[in-house]
Amino acid sequence: MNATTRRQRTDPGAPRLPLWAAAAAGVVAVGAALAAGHLVAALIDPFASPFLAVGNTAIDLTPHPVKDFAIRVFGEDDKLVLLAGMAFVIAAAAVVAGLLSRRSALPGTVLAAALGAVGVAAVLARPTLGTTAVLAPATSLVVGVVVFRWLHRLARRAPADAPPAPEDTVDGPVPRPLDWSVPGLGRRRFLITSTAVAAAAGATAAAGQFIGGRVDVEASRRAIRLTPDEVAPPIPEGADFAGSGTPPFITPNADFYRVDTALSVPRMRAQDWRMRVHGMVDRELVLTYDDLLDRPLVERTISLCCVSNEVGGPYISTTDFIGVSLRDILVEAGVRPGSDQLATRSVDGWTCGTPVEDIMKPDSGALLAIGMNGEPLPAEHGFPVRMVVPGLYGFVSATKWLVDAELTTFADFDAYWVKRDWARRAPIKTMSRVDRPKAFEQVPAGKFTAAGVAWAQHRGIDGVEVRVDGGPWQAATLSREVNVDTWRMWRAELDLPAGSHTLEVRATDRTGHTQTNERAEPIPDGAAGWHTIVFTARP
């Protein structure tokens, strides 16, 4: 350390950077650090990007009440909100560090090093990343420190035409803020350099994004033609009451709900896909995508429901899945006695535990799914391969981007959400929802058609009832049933006097169980309670 550096750190009279220059040095340095790490990650593993690794770790560590709040408020945009929030926090920290570094580069240096260390820790915590992935956050650490100190040093050079500094007094040195009110070489050089670094950081980040996205998933999808050997029965006329306000029976792929922990959608080509079936089996299997195509493909109409669905919530959709019988795969592998859980893993490390008995029932309908509505799975819904087990909430049955399946026991393995105190077994509850009218909607008084959906996968819906303002229950008209693993639509003709009204709905499944009115939150094993809305009938 030279004398000049020591003076900068200890001399209270050392020149101070202008506020804007100090803040700019912090922001540009952090931006350059993240961009460099993103580029290196693209060359190693896109999930090693410090920004994404920290974001994924944040998702893992987020308490489930906060996660539920984010899903409830932001829906499928929750991850975008997380990324934007992270960017804001990082930028704010960079500004603060820059302002604290007006006399000395030490605070900014510490921040850059700390952010790099956080990135290293986040990468090391990711279950699917190897040790070489640490190169990405390590690069961020080095670039952040070097760029910040470089910009700080440039900013400290007073303009050539600045007025001379006042002399020290007997009481000590007089603080000498840099005067950049007159354009000078120091300010011009700093502005040009910081702008150039920011532009280079942007180009670096763009290059990392381009290289990281070099896996052409859409080309892989376009090359696949799916022809089921067993086609699902056509949807009968009258399967929905879309004209009365229900959703269409089949959910278009673009509208199918998405709730998962993936901060960025994994990108994998079908020709690169492999899945290992191992653990408590008689023989291990390693399956390729072509292996699945060579097996009998079946098409099944299935409704999926997310455990995060609140009472009356939107996270249920129905599609024609195409895939291979998961039961047949496990029979071929030979499930050993005592194995009661199939532990599956996504390519990004997410894990799921499914009861073996739910898969092995002859009528389970469990699939290794490769298609939705006649086309290969969309990337955001699990391409190349996902798991689908009707009758169970997704967190115990619907692993997307599936790459590993291990036969084990519930005693020996805790899946991702079980470690966070969610249920080990989560059959979908008998539920119903009002779709028309909407809450607080104004509708005409008199004759009015209310409508909605009900579901009880693997059991089927036997009846739906509605009541207005706590009056007698009225049986609703049910749509044509497609199968017991799909939702069923209902509608009811009401006679509404003018004024405010409360509408409630409840369903009864084929076992004779009627949906309970006792409220339960979605976690740990699914929401419960009657969907109740308030609306107004106007004269």
Side-chain angles (χ1 to χ4, degrees):
M1 185 185 300
N2 57 39
T4 301
T5 302
R6 285 196 302 269
R7 177 175 175 79
Q8 289 175 1
R9 290 185 177 180
T10 60
D11 185 357
R16 292 181 300 171
L17 303 185
L19 293 173
W20 69 267
V27 172
V28 172
V30 169
L34 292 175
H38 195 62
L39 176 59
V40 173
L43 301 172
I44 301 172
D45 186 322
F47 290 110
S49 171
F51 191 66
L52 295 180
V54 171
N56 282 318
T57 301
I59 290 176
D60 291 349
L61 298 177
T62 299
H64 67 74
V66 177
K67 170 186 172 295
D68 293 342
F69 172 79
I71 292 175
R72 185 167 58 252
V73 175
F74 302 112
E76 296 181 17
D77 294 327
D78 59 335
K79 298 172 186 63
L80 180 62
V81 172
L82 172 63
L83 289 174
M86 285 175 53
F88 176 80
V89 170
I90 291 173
V95 169
V96 171
L99 296 179
L100 294 176
S101 303
R102 293 181 68 193
R103 281 203 177 94
S104 167
L106 181 60
T109 302
V110 170
L111 172 73
L115 288 177
V118 169
V120 169
V123 166
L124 289 175
R126 303 312 301 162
T128 60
L129 296 177
T131 53
T132 56
V134 176
L135 290 174
T139 300
S140 287
L141 191 157
V142 172
V143 169
V145 170
V146 170
V147 170
F148 180 77
R149 296 189 70 85
W150 179 35
L151 293 179
H152 193 276
R153 185 168 61 253
L154 285 178
R156 293 194 68 86
R157 296 177 181 174
D161 51 359
E167 297 182 358
D168 294 346
T169 67
V170 294
D171 295 326
V174 176
R176 299 183 295 274
L178 296 178
D179 184 2
W180 285 13
S181 59
V182 180
L185 179 60
R187 177 167 63 177
R188 191 176 304 119
R189 179 179 297 168
F190 177 80
L191 287 172
I192 292 173
T193 302
S194 58
T195 301
V197 171
T204 300
Q209 193 68 18
F210 175 79
I211 295 172
R214 65 189 181 277
V215 178
D216 196 342
V217 172
E218 290 309 309
S220 180
R221 291 183 70 245
R222 288 193 299 270
I224 299 169
R225 296 293 180 268
L226 298 178
T227 305
D229 298 279
E230 180 186 327
V231 179
I235 305 302
E237 185 177 353
D240 65 42
F241 294 139
S244 298
T246 71
F249 190 84
I250 293 294
T251 309
N253 288 352
D255 297 333
F256 203 97
Y257 80 87
R258 180 194 167 199
V259 177
D260 53 53
T261 64
L263 194 56
S264 61
V265 175
R267 302 179 62 83
M268 190 187 327
R269 300 183 306 171
Q271 54 266 44
D272 298 328
W273 181 81
R274 301 288 186 277
M275 187 184 81
R276 181 182 174 217
V277 182
H278 61 107
M280 297 175 66
V281 296
D282 295 331
R283 63 194 68 84
E284 288 194 7
L285 303 177
V286 176
L287 301 174
T288 67
Y289 199 85
D290 284 341
D291 290 334
L292 299 185
L293 292 178
D294 289 340
R295 293 169 180 265
L297 292 180
V298 299
E299 183 179 49
R300 294 195 174 110
T301 307
I302 298 171
S303 294
L304 292 188
C305 185
C306 180
V307 74
S308 298
N309 207 34
E310 300 275 351
V311 173
Y315 299 126
I316 178 169
S317 301
T318 301
T319 190
D320 287 325
F321 281 108
I322 299 172
V324 172
S325 168
L326 179 56
R327 180 180 185 274
D328 289 351
I329 296 289
L330 297 191
V331 168
E332 182 177 333
V335 179
R336 291 180 181 173
S339 174
D340 59 5
Q341 178 177 212
L342 179 67
T344 50
R345 184 181 298 275
S346 169
V347 69
D348 64 354
W350 186 84
T351 56
C352 170
T354 308
V356 170
E357 63 179 345
D358 286 287
I359 299 171
M360 299 304 291
K361 293 175 182 176
D363 61 346
S364 73
L367 295 176
L368 289 182
I370 60 177
M372 289 174 65
N373 289 334
E375 66 179 62
L377 293 171
E380 63 270 20
H381 291 295
F383 182 81
V385 181
R386 70 174 296 166
M387 194 167 79
V388 174
V389 183
L392 300 177
Y393 286 114
F395 80 99
V396 296
S397 69
T399 306
K400 294 189 280 191
W401 313 292
L402 178 64
V403 294
D404 188 84
E406 179 183 3
L407 272 299
T408 181
T409 68
F410 282 106
D412 292 334
F413 178 80
D414 286 338
Y416 182 94
W417 285 117
V418 172
K419 293 178 180 178
R420 292 154 178 81
D421 298 326
W422 292 26
R424 293 179 181 274
R425 303 168 187 266
I428 293 176
K429 297 177 180 179
T430 300
M431 293 293 289
S432 57
R433 183 183 76 195
V434 178
D435 286 276
R436 181 176 187 255
K438 301 296 184 184
F440 307 113
E441 184 179 356
Q442 290 190 354
V443 303
K447 299 296 183 181
F448 177 80
T449 301
V453 298
W455 58 95
Q457 283 91 326
H458 256 25
R459 301 179 301 280
I461 292 295
D462 195 51
V464 172
E465 299 170 290
V466 297
R467 69 177 180 181
V468 178
D469 300 331
W473 288 101
Q474 170 187 338
T477 300
L478 295 180
S479 65
R480 289 275 300 275
E481 183 179 69
V482 174
N483 63 59
V484 295
D485 288 329
T486 60
W487 55 12
R488 199 168 182 185
M489 314 303 184
W490 62 266
R491 66 184 177 192
E493 302 300 327
L494 307 178
D495 191 0
L496 301 173
S500 178
H501 299 287
T502 299
L503 178 64
E504 298 169 291
V505 62
R506 69 182 184 186
T508 300
D509 62 35
R510 288 277 166 74
T511 69
H513 171 74
T514 299
Q515 177 183 347
T516 178
N517 186 36
E518 186 175 344
R519 283 275 174 164
E521 294 300 314
I523 308 306
D525 61 354
W530 297 338
H531 188 205
T532 303
I533 66 163
V534 176
F535 66 102
T536 300
R538 64 176 184 274

